[in-house]
Amino acid sequence: MCGLIAQKRGDHDKKTPMDMMKKNMGRHANPLRILVIEDNPDVAANIGDYLEARGHLPDFAYDGISGLHLAVTQPIDVIVLDVMLPGMDGFSLCRRFREESDKATPILMLTAKDTIDDKLEGFDAGADDYLLKPFVLEELEARLHALVRRSSPDSPSVLEIGSLRVDMGVRRVTREGRPIPMNRTCFRILVELMRAAPQVVTRDDLEHLLWGDFKPASDALRSHIYALRKALDTPGEASLVETVVGVGFRITNES
């Protein structure tokens, strides 16, 4: 097994012929294009060496400004983003990427901070997953594959229920042809509800979608559901987002 990412570069380079043979045998037929935005050269090299040995195609940026430029302009499958970066921190980079780009590229954030506030700030900024340093490189790769699978184009690119339409490719929501702006968290909730319709999505499933294992102490989901209803609903009419008491939520068809 490959060691923790906290290893020094020199330790990481000490591979036996058997280690290299095992890695080469495990190379993936469909490599991922991975952008690693990390200012620590040893950590970046450690990640890059492992991903290249696994057959992937990593690219690198060592500050936030360069990282945002590459994320917007290059064809990337998934982004590994450190929180503490020169020029622009990871939270700001993630937020600007989600606001300024039409791409739905998944983002995994790396941090040495183990506080719930930091994790929630990352998810609110638009991150899709979070990994605490130090970590095992096999886990990083597994999480990257899972993120790419969830954003696969094999999934329907357009979701429609009644007059409500979601275009996944450009992250656009319309109702009766009228554009509906919403933040990334509301968008993720809406997509999950529409994919499951007419079934109910449980509160636990939505909280795990948004925050993984790091659920907020307060009922943050209630606030996001309120914001989603405010964006979607027409005054005086029943809400499209129905609460199923004691279970969760579902999208209703108003037609």
Side-chain angles (χ1 to χ4, degrees):
M1 175 181 291
C2 187
L4 298 176
I5 193 64
Q7 285 180 309
K8 296 180 180 179
R9 178 74 190 276
D11 295 335
H12 177 70
D13 286 342
K14 295 176 182 177
K15 303 183 183 73
T16 67
M18 181 61 70
D19 291 333
M20 294 305 297
M21 182 179 73
K22 288 180 178 178
K23 281 192 175 182
N24 288 333
M25 289 174 63
R27 291 172 70 91
H28 285 273
N30 298 312
L32 300 179
R33 297 165 297 183
I34 304 167
L35 175 59
V36 180
I37 308 175
E38 166 64 67
D39 67 319
N40 186 314
D42 287 333
V43 172
N46 213 351
I47 295 173
D49 288 350
Y50 178 80
L51 294 176
E52 286 180 350
R54 294 287 291 164
H56 301 299
L57 305 171
D59 197 0
F60 301 90
Y62 300 95
D63 64 81
I65 296 173
S66 299
L68 179 61
H69 175 73
L70 290 176
V72 171
T73 62
Q74 299 302 306
I76 301 296
D77 295 317
V78 63
I79 298 170
V80 177
L81 175 62
D82 189 34
V83 170
M84 303 301 293
L85 294 169
M88 180 190 306
D89 66 74
F91 297 135
S92 299
L93 189 159
C94 187
R95 189 172 290 108
R96 284 191 57 181
F97 177 72
R98 295 306 186 198
E99 291 173 351
E100 300 174 10
S101 173
D102 290 334
K103 296 181 178 179
T105 310
I107 296 175
L108 183 146
M109 297 195 81
L110 303 177
T111 185
K113 297 182 178 180
D114 190 20
T115 68
I116 186 64
D117 288 341
D118 287 306
K119 295 181 178 74
L120 293 181
E121 184 176 358
F123 286 122
D124 286 341
D128 299 279
D129 200 359
Y130 222 102
L131 196 55
L132 183 67
K133 297 178 180 178
F135 53 84
V136 178
L137 291 166
E138 287 90 342
E139 180 180 2
L140 172 65
E141 184 190 22
R143 286 175 180 253
L144 295 179
H145 274 293
L147 289 176
V148 172
R149 281 197 301 271
R150 290 205 296 266
S151 62
S152 170
D154 292 339
S155 302
S157 60
V158 175
L159 302 171
E160 292 187 86
I161 296 179
S163 64
L164 184 62
R165 187 176 192 271
V166 175
D167 189 328
M168 303 286 290
V170 295
R171 296 187 66 247
R172 177 182 172 86
V173 181
T174 59
R175 185 179 181 190
E176 297 178 347
R178 175 178 57 88
I180 301 176
M182 65 179 59
N183 63 37
R184 179 170 173 80
T185 300
C186 287
F187 184 83
R188 294 179 72 187
I189 294 172
L190 177 60
V191 168
E192 190 71 9
L193 293 176
M194 291 186 70
R195 282 175 170 167
Q199 303 301 316
V200 177
V201 181
T202 68
R203 291 181 60 90
D204 285 344
D205 285 345
L206 286 176
E207 288 176 342
H208 189 270
L209 171 74
L210 298 177
W211 301 296
D213 296 327
F214 311 107
K215 296 180 182 179
S218 61
D219 191 0
L221 180 60
R222 183 187 300 273
S223 298
H224 291 304
I225 292 292
Y226 173 81
L228 178 60
R229 284 172 169 154
K230 189 174 181 180
L232 291 178
D233 293 343
T234 301
E237 297 183 1
S239 176
L240 294 183
V241 181
E242 178 186 354
T243 299
V244 180
V245 179
V247 183
F249 306 91
R250 66 183 167 200
I251 284 286
T252 62
N253 189 340
E254 81 278 25
S255 59

